[in-house]
PDB file of all heavy atoms in Angstrom:
ATOM      1  N   HIS K   1      91.407 173.945  74.409  1.00 93.00           N
ATOM      2  CA  HIS K   1      92.822 174.267  74.495  1.00 93.00           C
ATOM      3  C   HIS K   1      93.112 175.548  73.715  1.00 93.00           C
ATOM      4  O   HIS K   1      93.859 176.437  74.171  1.00 93.00           O
ATOM      5  CB  HIS K   1      93.657 173.102  73.935  1.00 93.00           C
ATOM      6  CG  HIS K   1      95.150 173.281  74.030  1.00 93.00           C
ATOM      7  ND1 HIS K   1      95.851 174.112  73.187  1.00 93.00           N
ATOM      8  CD2 HIS K   1      96.053 172.799  74.911  1.00 93.00           C
ATOM      9  CE1 HIS K   1      97.126 174.100  73.501  1.00 93.00           C
ATOM     10  NE2 HIS K   1      97.268 173.311  74.545  1.00 93.00           N
ATOM     11  N   GLU K   2      92.505 175.660  72.547  1.00 92.00           N
ATOM     12  CA  GLU K   2      92.711 176.873  71.749  1.00 92.00           C
ATOM     13  C   GLU K   2      92.103 178.090  72.417  1.00 92.00           C
ATOM     14  O   GLU K   2      92.618 179.208  72.278  1.00 92.00           O
ATOM     15  CB  GLU K   2      92.112 176.656  70.336  1.00 92.00           C
ATOM     16  CG  GLU K   2      92.910 175.639  69.530  1.00 92.00           C
ATOM     17  CD  GLU K   2      92.291 175.327  68.202  1.00 92.00           C
ATOM     18  OE1 GLU K   2      91.146 175.796  67.919  1.00 92.00           O
ATOM     19  OE2 GLU K   2      92.940 174.598  67.411  1.00 92.00           O
ATOM     20  N   GLU K   3      91.032 177.892  73.180  1.00 91.00           N
ATOM     21  CA  GLU K   3      90.435 178.985  73.931  1.00 91.00           C
ATOM     22  C   GLU K   3      91.356 179.431  75.045  1.00 91.00           C
ATOM     23  O   GLU K   3      91.568 180.624  75.273  1.00 91.00           O
ATOM     24  CB  GLU K   3      89.076 178.565  74.485  1.00 91.00           C
ATOM     25  CG  GLU K   3      88.287 179.699  75.143  1.00 91.00           C
ATOM     26  CD  GLU K   3      87.719 180.692  74.136  1.00 91.00           C
ATOM     27  OE1 GLU K   3      87.715 180.401  72.914  1.00 91.00           O
ATOM     28  OE2 GLU K   3      87.280 181.767  74.570  1.00 91.00           O
ATOM     29  N   TYR K   4      91.923 178.457  75.795  1.00 92.00           N
ATOM     30  CA  TYR K   4      92.921 178.816  76.823  1.00 92.00           C
ATOM     31  C   TYR K   4      94.073 179.587  76.193  1.00 92.00           C
ATOM     32  O   TYR K   4      94.495 180.630  76.701  1.00 92.00           O
ATOM     33  CB  TYR K   4      93.545 177.556  77.453  1.00 92.00           C
ATOM     34  CG  TYR K   4      92.604 176.529  78.047  1.00 92.00           C
ATOM     35  CD1 TYR K   4      92.924 175.167  77.960  1.00 92.00           C
ATOM     36  CD2 TYR K   4      91.446 176.879  78.706  1.00 92.00           C
ATOM     37  CE1 TYR K   4      92.100 174.202  78.512  1.00 92.00           C
ATOM     38  CE2 TYR K   4      90.617 175.908  79.262  1.00 92.00           C
ATOM     39  CZ  TYR K   4      90.955 174.572  79.148  1.00 92.00           C
ATOM     40  OH  TYR K   4      90.165 173.614  79.694  1.00 92.00           O
ATOM     41  N   ALA K   5      94.579 179.079  75.064  1.00 90.00           N
ATOM     42  CA  ALA K   5      95.756 179.681  74.434  1.00 90.00           C
ATOM     43  C   ALA K   5      95.439 181.108  73.939  1.00 90.00           C
ATOM     44  O   ALA K   5      96.276 181.995  74.018  1.00 90.00           O
ATOM     45  CB  ALA K   5      96.239 178.796  73.273  1.00 90.00           C
ATOM     46  N   ARG K   6      94.248 181.270  73.391  1.00 89.00           N
ATOM     47  CA  ARG K   6      93.870 182.605  72.895  1.00 89.00           C
ATOM     48  C   ARG K   6      93.816 183.617  74.027  1.00 89.00           C
ATOM     49  O   ARG K   6      94.282 184.758  73.877  1.00 89.00           O
ATOM     50  CB  ARG K   6      92.509 182.533  72.193  1.00 89.00           C
ATOM     51  CG  ARG K   6      92.058 183.818  71.537  1.00 89.00           C
ATOM     52  CD  ARG K   6      90.732 183.644  70.843  1.00 89.00           C
ATOM     53  NE  ARG K   6      89.616 183.496  71.778  1.00 89.00           N
ATOM     54  CZ  ARG K   6      89.039 184.531  72.379  1.00 89.00           C
ATOM     55  NH1 ARG K   6      89.461 185.759  72.184  1.00 89.00           N
ATOM     56  NH2 ARG K   6      88.021 184.323  73.211  1.00 89.00           N
ATOM     57  N   ARG K   7      93.258 183.205  75.155  1.00 88.00           N
ATOM     58  CA  ARG K   7      93.084 184.140  76.275  1.00 88.00           C
ATOM     59  C   ARG K   7      94.371 184.295  77.083  1.00 88.00           C
ATOM     60  O   ARG K   7      94.480 185.243  77.849  1.00 88.00           O
ATOM     61  CB  ARG K   7      91.927 183.653  77.166  1.00 88.00           C
ATOM     62  CG  ARG K   7      90.572 183.760  76.485  1.00 88.00           C
ATOM     63  CD  ARG K   7      89.454 183.197  77.298  1.00 88.00           C
ATOM     64  NE  ARG K   7      88.171 183.351  76.644  1.00 88.00           N
ATOM     65  CZ  ARG K   7      87.355 184.403  76.745  1.00 88.00           C
ATOM     66  NH1 ARG K   7      87.717 185.394  77.527  1.00 88.00           N
ATOM     67  NH2 ARG K   7      86.226 184.441  76.107  1.00 88.00           N
ATOM     68  N   MET K   8      95.314 183.397  76.956  1.00 87.00           N
ATOM     69  CA  MET K   8      96.546 183.456  77.717  1.00 87.00           C
ATOM     70  C   MET K   8      97.764 183.403  76.789  1.00 87.00           C
ATOM     71  O   MET K   8      98.814 182.842  77.151  1.00 87.00           O
ATOM     72  CB  MET K   8      96.590 182.325  78.749  1.00 87.00           C
ATOM     73  CG  MET K   8      95.464 182.434  79.766  1.00 87.00           C
ATOM     74  SD  MET K   8      95.762 181.416  81.213  1.00 87.00           S
ATOM     75  CE  MET K   8      94.548 182.141  82.329  1.00 87.00           C
ATOM     76  N   SER K   9      97.624 184.026  75.628  1.00 85.00           N
ATOM     77  CA  SER K   9      98.692 183.954  74.639  1.00 85.00           C
ATOM     78  C   SER K   9     100.000 184.554  75.138  1.00 85.00           C
ATOM     79  O   SER K   9     101.090 184.131  74.744  1.00 85.00           O
ATOM     80  CB  SER K   9      98.245 184.655  73.352  1.00 85.00           C
ATOM     81  OG  SER K   9      97.917 186.012  73.607  1.00 85.00           O
ATOM     82  N   ARG K  10      99.920 185.539  76.020  1.00 84.00           N
ATOM     83  CA  ARG K  10     101.128 186.201  76.502  1.00 84.00           C
ATOM     84  C   ARG K  10     102.016 185.260  77.300  1.00 84.00           C
ATOM     85  O   ARG K  10     103.207 185.539  77.504  1.00 84.00           O
ATOM     86  CB  ARG K  10     100.790 187.440  77.327  1.00 84.00           C
ATOM     87  CG  ARG K  10     100.075 187.148  78.650  1.00 84.00           C
ATOM     88  CD  ARG K  10      99.611 188.439  79.282  1.00 84.00           C
ATOM     89  NE  ARG K  10      98.580 189.069  78.457  1.00 84.00           N
ATOM     90  CZ  ARG K  10      98.297 190.380  78.517  1.00 84.00           C
ATOM     91  NH1 ARG K  10      98.958 191.167  79.306  1.00 84.00           N
ATOM     92  NH2 ARG K  10      97.319 190.863  77.766  1.00 84.00           N
ATOM     93  N   PHE K  11     101.453 184.157  77.794  1.00 85.00           N
ATOM     94  CA  PHE K  11     102.266 183.220  78.564  1.00 85.00           C
ATOM     95  C   PHE K  11     102.894 182.128  77.707  1.00 85.00           C
ATOM     96  O   PHE K  11     103.704 181.362  78.170  1.00 85.00           O
ATOM     97  CB  PHE K  11     101.397 182.531  79.655  1.00 85.00           C
ATOM     98  CG  PHE K  11     100.786 183.517  80.619  1.00 85.00           C
ATOM     99  CD1 PHE K  11      99.416 183.775  80.574  1.00 85.00           C
ATOM    100  CD2 PHE K  11     101.555 184.194  81.535  1.00 85.00           C
ATOM    101  CE1 PHE K  11      98.858 184.669  81.442  1.00 85.00           C
ATOM    102  CE2 PHE K  11     100.995 185.113  82.405  1.00 85.00           C
ATOM    103  CZ  PHE K  11      99.629 185.372  82.351  1.00 85.00           C
ATOM    104  N   ILE K  12     102.520 182.107  76.443  1.00 82.00           N
ATOM    105  CA  ILE K  12     103.030 181.063  75.547  1.00 82.00           C
ATOM    106  C   ILE K  12     104.076 181.636  74.606  1.00 82.00           C
ATOM    107  O   ILE K  12     105.105 180.985  74.371  1.00 82.00           O
ATOM    108  CB  ILE K  12     101.883 180.467  74.730  1.00 82.00           C
ATOM    109  CG1 ILE K  12     100.812 179.869  75.653  1.00 82.00           C
ATOM    110  CG2 ILE K  12     102.419 179.363  73.822  1.00 82.00           C
ATOM    111  CD1 ILE K  12      99.589 179.373  74.929  1.00 82.00           C
ATOM    112  N   ALA K  13     103.845 182.833  74.096  1.00 71.00           N
ATOM    113  CA  ALA K  13     104.707 183.437  73.069  1.00 71.00           C
ATOM    114  C   ALA K  13     104.814 182.440  71.897  1.00 71.00           C
ATOM    115  O   ALA K  13     103.778 182.003  71.364  1.00 71.00           O
ATOM    116  CB  ALA K  13     106.046 183.798  73.621  1.00 71.00           C
ATOM    117  N   ASP K  14     106.033 182.086  71.519  1.00 66.00           N
ATOM    118  CA  ASP K  14     106.211 181.127  70.431  1.00 66.00           C
ATOM    119  C   ASP K  14     106.516 179.724  70.915  1.00 66.00           C
ATOM    120  O   ASP K  14     106.916 178.863  70.125  1.00 66.00           O
ATOM    121  CB  ASP K  14     107.342 181.605  69.493  1.00 66.00           C
ATOM    122  CG  ASP K  14     107.005 182.937  68.839  1.00 66.00           C
ATOM    123  OD1 ASP K  14     105.822 183.141  68.533  1.00 66.00           O
ATOM    124  OD2 ASP K  14     107.915 183.765  68.647  1.00 66.00           O
ATOM    125  N   ARG K  15     106.284 179.466  72.189  1.00 74.00           N
ATOM    126  CA  ARG K  15     106.618 178.149  72.752  1.00 74.00           C
ATOM    127  C   ARG K  15     105.606 177.119  72.267  1.00 74.00           C
ATOM    128  O   ARG K  15     104.436 177.383  72.112  1.00 74.00           O
ATOM    129  CB  ARG K  15     106.587 178.175  74.271  1.00 74.00           C
ATOM    130  CG  ARG K  15     107.790 178.853  74.903  1.00 74.00           C
ATOM    131  CD  ARG K  15     107.793 178.588  76.421  1.00 74.00           C
ATOM    132  NE  ARG K  15     106.587 179.126  77.045  1.00 74.00           N
ATOM    133  CZ  ARG K  15     105.941 178.537  78.033  1.00 74.00           C
ATOM    134  NH1 ARG K  15     106.368 177.364  78.485  1.00 74.00           N
ATOM    135  NH2 ARG K  15     104.883 179.092  78.579  1.00 74.00           N
ATOM    136  N   GLN K  16     106.091 175.931  72.037  1.00 80.00           N
ATOM    137  CA  GLN K  16     105.232 174.768  71.734  1.00 80.00           C
ATOM    138  C   GLN K  16     105.004 174.001  73.014  1.00 80.00           C
ATOM    139  O   GLN K  16     105.962 173.446  73.577  1.00 80.00           O
ATOM    140  CB  GLN K  16     105.895 173.874  70.675  1.00 80.00           C
ATOM    141  CG  GLN K  16     105.031 172.681  70.268  1.00 80.00           C
ATOM    142  CD  GLN K  16     103.828 173.118  69.452  1.00 80.00           C
ATOM    143  OE1 GLN K  16     103.910 174.014  68.622  1.00 80.00           O
ATOM    144  NE2 GLN K  16     102.709 172.453  69.686  1.00 80.00           N
ATOM    145  N   LEU K  17     103.794 174.006  73.513  1.00 86.00           N
ATOM    146  CA  LEU K  17     103.516 173.298  74.775  1.00 86.00           C
ATOM    147  C   LEU K  17     103.564 171.801  74.543  1.00 86.00           C
ATOM    148  O   LEU K  17     103.187 171.324  73.467  1.00 86.00           O
ATOM    149  CB  LEU K  17     102.165 173.714  75.304  1.00 86.00           C
ATOM    150  CG  LEU K  17     101.985 175.201  75.703  1.00 86.00           C
ATOM    151  CD1 LEU K  17     100.582 175.415  76.289  1.00 86.00           C
ATOM    152  CD2 LEU K  17     103.050 175.660  76.663  1.00 86.00           C
ATOM    153  N   PRO K  18     103.997 171.051  75.536  1.00 87.00           N
ATOM    154  CA  PRO K  18     103.997 169.576  75.393  1.00 87.00           C
ATOM    155  C   PRO K  18     102.581 169.036  75.210  1.00 87.00           C
ATOM    156  O   PRO K  18     101.640 169.558  75.781  1.00 87.00           O
ATOM    157  CB  PRO K  18     104.636 169.094  76.704  1.00 87.00           C
ATOM    158  CG  PRO K  18     104.420 170.212  77.669  1.00 87.00           C
ATOM    159  CD  PRO K  18     104.478 171.464  76.876  1.00 87.00           C
ATOM    160  N   ARG K  19     102.475 168.011  74.420  1.00 90.00           N
ATOM    161  CA  ARG K  19     101.182 167.383  74.197  1.00 90.00           C
ATOM    162  C   ARG K  19     100.725 166.683  75.473  1.00 90.00           C
ATOM    163  O   ARG K  19     101.474 165.924  76.072  1.00 90.00           O
ATOM    164  CB  ARG K  19     101.274 166.384  73.032  1.00 90.00           C
ATOM    165  CG  ARG K  19      99.922 165.924  72.479  1.00 90.00           C
ATOM    166  CD  ARG K  19     100.104 164.911  71.366  1.00 90.00           C
ATOM    167  NE  ARG K  19     100.786 165.498  70.226  1.00 90.00           N
ATOM    168  CZ  ARG K  19     100.195 166.110  69.220  1.00 90.00           C
ATOM    169  NH1 ARG K  19      98.863 166.224  69.226  1.00 90.00           N
ATOM    170  NH2 ARG K  19     100.874 166.614  68.236  1.00 90.00           N
ATOM    171  N   GLY K  20      99.530 166.969  75.927  1.00 90.00           N
ATOM    172  CA  GLY K  20      99.035 166.412  77.176  1.00 90.00           C
ATOM    173  C   GLY K  20      98.493 165.019  77.013  1.00 90.00           C
ATOM    174  O   GLY K  20      98.037 164.639  75.924  1.00 90.00           O
ATOM    175  N   ASN K  21      98.563 164.233  78.069  1.00 94.00           N
ATOM    176  CA  ASN K  21      97.967 162.893  78.094  1.00 94.00           C
ATOM    177  C   ASN K  21      96.561 162.991  78.681  1.00 94.00           C
ATOM    178  O   ASN K  21      96.356 163.633  79.724  1.00 94.00           O
ATOM    179  CB  ASN K  21      98.818 161.937  78.924  1.00 94.00           C
ATOM    180  CG  ASN K  21     100.136 161.652  78.258  1.00 94.00           C
ATOM    181  OD1 ASN K  21     100.184 161.127  77.130  1.00 94.00           O
ATOM    182  ND2 ASN K  21     101.246 162.007  78.897  1.00 94.00           N
ATOM    183  N   VAL K  22      95.617 162.304  78.047  1.00 96.00           N
ATOM    184  CA  VAL K  22      94.249 162.293  78.532  1.00 96.00           C
ATOM    185  C   VAL K  22      93.777 160.826  78.611  1.00 96.00           C
ATOM    186  O   VAL K  22      93.926 160.076  77.623  1.00 96.00           O
ATOM    187  CB  VAL K  22      93.292 163.052  77.589  1.00 96.00           C
ATOM    188  CG1 VAL K  22      91.849 163.023  78.105  1.00 96.00           C
ATOM    189  CG2 VAL K  22      93.768 164.525  77.443  1.00 96.00           C
ATOM    190  N   TYR K  23      93.217 160.456  79.763  1.00 97.00           N
ATOM    191  CA  TYR K  23      92.720 159.097  79.963  1.00 97.00           C
ATOM    192  C   TYR K  23      91.209 159.196  80.239  1.00 97.00           C
ATOM    193  O   TYR K  23      90.806 159.769  81.243  1.00 97.00           O
ATOM    194  CB  TYR K  23      93.451 158.425  81.109  1.00 97.00           C
ATOM    195  CG  TYR K  23      94.934 158.229  80.848  1.00 97.00           C
ATOM    196  CD1 TYR K  23      95.842 159.271  81.126  1.00 97.00           C
ATOM    197  CD2 TYR K  23      95.403 157.059  80.273  1.00 97.00           C
ATOM    198  CE1 TYR K  23      97.189 159.106  80.861  1.00 97.00           C
ATOM    199  CE2 TYR K  23      96.756 156.896  79.996  1.00 97.00           C
ATOM    200  CZ  TYR K  23      97.650 157.915  80.283  1.00 97.00           C
ATOM    201  OH  TYR K  23      98.996 157.761  80.010  1.00 97.00           O
ATOM    202  N   LEU K  24      90.450 158.672  79.309  1.00 96.00           N
ATOM    203  CA  LEU K  24      88.975 158.720  79.412  1.00 96.00           C
ATOM    204  C   LEU K  24      88.457 157.315  79.625  1.00 96.00           C
ATOM    205  O   LEU K  24      88.528 156.461  78.729  1.00 96.00           O
ATOM    206  CB  LEU K  24      88.392 159.322  78.140  1.00 96.00           C
ATOM    207  CG  LEU K  24      88.890 160.722  77.767  1.00 96.00           C
ATOM    208  CD1 LEU K  24      88.322 161.149  76.414  1.00 96.00           C
ATOM    209  CD2 LEU K  24      88.568 161.734  78.825  1.00 96.00           C
ATOM    210  N   PHE K  25      87.914 157.081  80.806  1.00 96.00           N
ATOM    211  CA  PHE K  25      87.444 155.751  81.177  1.00 96.00           C
ATOM    212  C   PHE K  25      85.927 155.668  81.145  1.00 96.00           C
ATOM    213  O   PHE K  25      85.231 156.624  81.489  1.00 96.00           O
ATOM    214  CB  PHE K  25      87.932 155.395  82.585  1.00 96.00           C
ATOM    215  CG  PHE K  25      89.415 155.365  82.738  1.00 96.00           C
ATOM    216  CD1 PHE K  25      90.090 156.474  83.258  1.00 96.00           C
ATOM    217  CD2 PHE K  25      90.163 154.255  82.348  1.00 96.00           C
ATOM    218  CE1 PHE K  25      91.471 156.483  83.376  1.00 96.00           C
ATOM    219  CE2 PHE K  25      91.542 154.250  82.493  1.00 96.00           C
ATOM    220  CZ  PHE K  25      92.209 155.359  83.007  1.00 96.00           C
ATOM    221  N   ALA K  26      85.431 154.511  80.763  1.00 93.00           N
ATOM    222  CA  ALA K  26      83.993 154.271  80.822  1.00 93.00           C
ATOM    223  C   ALA K  26      83.557 154.078  82.291  1.00 93.00           C
ATOM    224  O   ALA K  26      82.534 154.606  82.719  1.00 93.00           O
ATOM    225  CB  ALA K  26      83.598 153.076  79.972  1.00 93.00           C
ATOM    226  N   ARG K  27      84.341 153.317  83.050  1.00 93.00           N
ATOM    227  CA  ARG K  27      83.957 152.921  84.409  1.00 93.00           C
ATOM    228  C   ARG K  27      84.716 153.664  85.459  1.00 93.00           C
ATOM    229  O   ARG K  27      85.936 153.918  85.351  1.00 93.00           O
ATOM    230  CB  ARG K  27      84.196 151.414  84.581  1.00 93.00           C
ATOM    231  CG  ARG K  27      83.406 150.519  83.656  1.00 93.00           C
ATOM    232  CD  ARG K  27      83.837 149.068  83.728  1.00 93.00           C
ATOM    233  NE  ARG K  27      83.623 148.523  85.095  1.00 93.00           N
ATOM    234  CZ  ARG K  27      84.596 148.131  85.887  1.00 93.00           C
ATOM    235  NH1 ARG K  27      85.858 148.222  85.493  1.00 93.00           N
ATOM    236  NH2 ARG K  27      84.307 147.625  87.079  1.00 93.00           N
ATOM    237  N   GLN K  28      84.038 154.028  86.539  1.00 93.00           N
ATOM    238  CA  GLN K  28      84.669 154.733  87.647  1.00 93.00           C
ATOM    239  C   GLN K  28      85.771 153.884  88.270  1.00 93.00           C
ATOM    240  O   GLN K  28      86.828 154.394  88.659  1.00 93.00           O
ATOM    241  CB  GLN K  28      83.639 155.094  88.721  1.00 93.00           C
ATOM    242  CG  GLN K  28      84.245 155.913  89.876  1.00 93.00           C
ATOM    243  CD  GLN K  28      83.251 156.172  90.975  1.00 93.00           C
ATOM    244  OE1 GLN K  28      82.292 155.406  91.156  1.00 93.00           O
ATOM    245  NE2 GLN K  28      83.450 157.270  91.721  1.00 93.00           N
ATOM    246  N   GLU K  29      85.564 152.571  88.392  1.00 94.00           N
ATOM    247  CA  GLU K  29      86.561 151.722  89.038  1.00 94.00           C
ATOM    248  C   GLU K  29      87.893 151.740  88.294  1.00 94.00           C
ATOM    249  O   GLU K  29      88.972 151.732  88.911  1.00 94.00           O
ATOM    250  CB  GLU K  29      86.043 150.289  89.181  1.00 94.00           C
ATOM    251  CG  GLU K  29      84.900 150.141  90.190  1.00 94.00           C
ATOM    252  CD  GLU K  29      85.264 150.731  91.568  1.00 94.00           C
ATOM    253  OE1 GLU K  29      86.328 150.392  92.087  1.00 94.00           O
ATOM    254  OE2 GLU K  29      84.478 151.556  92.054  1.00 94.00           O
ATOM    255  N   ASP K  30      87.855 151.756  86.965  1.00 94.00           N
ATOM    256  CA  ASP K  30      89.092 151.838  86.192  1.00 94.00           C
ATOM    257  C   ASP K  30      89.766 153.205  86.396  1.00 94.00           C
ATOM    258  O   ASP K  30      91.006 153.277  86.475  1.00 94.00           O
ATOM    259  CB  ASP K  30      88.827 151.598  84.706  1.00 94.00           C
ATOM    260  CG  ASP K  30      88.415 150.158  84.418  1.00 94.00           C
ATOM    261  OD1 ASP K  30      88.826 149.260  85.190  1.00 94.00           O
ATOM    262  OD2 ASP K  30      87.685 149.925  83.440  1.00 94.00           O
ATOM    263  N   TYR K  31      88.964 154.232  86.449  1.00 95.00           N
ATOM    264  CA  TYR K  31      89.476 155.558  86.761  1.00 95.00           C
ATOM    265  C   TYR K  31      90.194 155.578  88.109  1.00 95.00           C
ATOM    266  O   TYR K  31      91.292 156.129  88.242  1.00 95.00           O
ATOM    267  CB  TYR K  31      88.334 156.570  86.733  1.00 95.00           C
ATOM    268  CG  TYR K  31      88.601 157.900  87.378  1.00 95.00           C
ATOM    269  CD1 TYR K  31      89.366 158.864  86.755  1.00 95.00           C
ATOM    270  CD2 TYR K  31      88.056 158.211  88.642  1.00 95.00           C
ATOM    271  CE1 TYR K  31      89.599 160.105  87.362  1.00 95.00           C
ATOM    272  CE2 TYR K  31      88.256 159.439  89.246  1.00 95.00           C
ATOM    273  CZ  TYR K  31      89.040 160.384  88.601  1.00 95.00           C
ATOM    274  OH  TYR K  31      89.268 161.600  89.204  1.00 95.00           O
ATOM    275  N   LEU K  32      89.586 154.951  89.103  1.00 94.00           N
ATOM    276  CA  LEU K  32      90.181 154.938  90.448  1.00 94.00           C
ATOM    277  C   LEU K  32      91.465 154.104  90.496  1.00 94.00           C
ATOM    278  O   LEU K  32      92.394 154.441  91.222  1.00 94.00           O
ATOM    279  CB  LEU K  32      89.170 154.411  91.459  1.00 94.00           C
ATOM    280  CG  LEU K  32      87.958 155.310  91.711  1.00 94.00           C
ATOM    281  CD1 LEU K  32      86.935 154.621  92.614  1.00 94.00           C
ATOM    282  CD2 LEU K  32      88.382 156.652  92.301  1.00 94.00           C
TER     283      LEU K  32
END
């Protein structure tokens, strides 16, 4: 995320981006 922000800082300026949700599943079936 910090790498994205460093390379695209002009699109952020002083904005605080919303915190993203991440779902990491062990099993493919739960992911589906």
Side-chain angles (χ1 to χ4, degrees):
H1 184 283
E2 291 175 353
E3 188 73 13
Y4 305 145
R6 185 179 72 81
R7 292 176 179 270
M8 297 197 164
S9 58
R10 67 188 66 202
F11 300 109
I12 302 174
D14 296 324
R15 285 191 299 142
Q16 182 70 38
L17 298 183
R19 195 181 296 271
N21 291 300
V22 180
Y23 297 85
L24 303 175
F25 299 97
R27 299 171 62 245
Q28 184 184 26
E29 290 307 309
D30 291 333
Y31 164 76
L32 293 174

